[in-house]
Amino acid sequence: MLTLLFKAHSGLRYLVLLMGLVALAYFVYGFATKRPVDKKVRILGSSFAGLLDTQILLGLVLLGAGWPFQPMLWGHLTLMLLAAVLAHVLLVINRKRPQPGFLLPLIAVGGALLLVVGGILAIGRGVFASTSLGG
């Protein structure tokens, strides 16, 4: 069961990264062309944040279910939680603005992606590597 949870957690990272890159590209394009904000901004931002939340939840369930804790996971956990906080806070601020824009979602998703990559590297793994951490 733990191996299945680990594989789900490890595999979901690709969806998180893909959704982040799609959202980032859309936000960069919207910002650069000064186009009006549409509901795709909210959909893409929420989709990215939701996948990131699911990824964090799977990781916490994995640890709670008995996956061996290693000290390097502190950096991983910290960076992943910071990524989720950054994404959520900036996306909510943007959504509550009278005139939402592309810049805050761009910073939210771009910054979160950098933190996610840092969190992956913190466990001594490449972003696209599929090695195990024990268990």
Side-chain angles (χ1 to χ4, degrees):
M1 183 64 169
L2 286 178
T3 301
L4 181 62
L5 276 172
F6 177 78
K7 287 184 181 206
H9 178 68
S10 185
L12 184 58
R13 116 187 87 142
Y14 297 112
L15 288 176
V16 171
L17 292 169
L18 178 62
M19 187 71 239
L21 290 173
V22 168
L24 192 64
Y26 188 79
F27 300 153
V28 166
Y29 176 75
F31 182 74
T33 60
K34 299 183 186 338
R35 57 184 295 182
V37 172
D38 55 17
K39 67 181 186 175
K40 288 181 191 172
V41 171
R42 185 172 181 168
I43 291 168
L44 290 170
S46 295
S47 297
F48 172 73
L51 283 170
L52 188 55
D53 290 347
T54 304
Q55 178 71 340
I56 290 169
L57 180 62
L58 274 175
L60 293 173
V61 167
L62 189 60
L63 286 175
W67 192 265
F69 188 86
Q70 299 172 9
M72 69 177 109
L73 289 176
W74 282 118
H76 181 70
L77 285 167
T78 301
L79 290 169
M80 295 304 184
L81 289 172
L82 285 173
V85 168
L86 177 67
H88 280 285
V89 167
L90 292 182
L91 290 170
V92 167
I93 289 171
N94 190 62
R95 188 169 48 242
K96 292 186 180 228
R97 284 183 158 182
Q99 294 291 326
F102 285 97
L103 183 59
L104 282 181
L106 178 83
I107 295 169
V109 174
L113 280 173
L114 289 175
L115 290 167
V116 165
V117 168
I120 294 168
L121 296 175
I123 56 175
R125 150 191 280 187
V127 176
F128 299 108
S130 56
T131 57
S132 177
L133 283 176

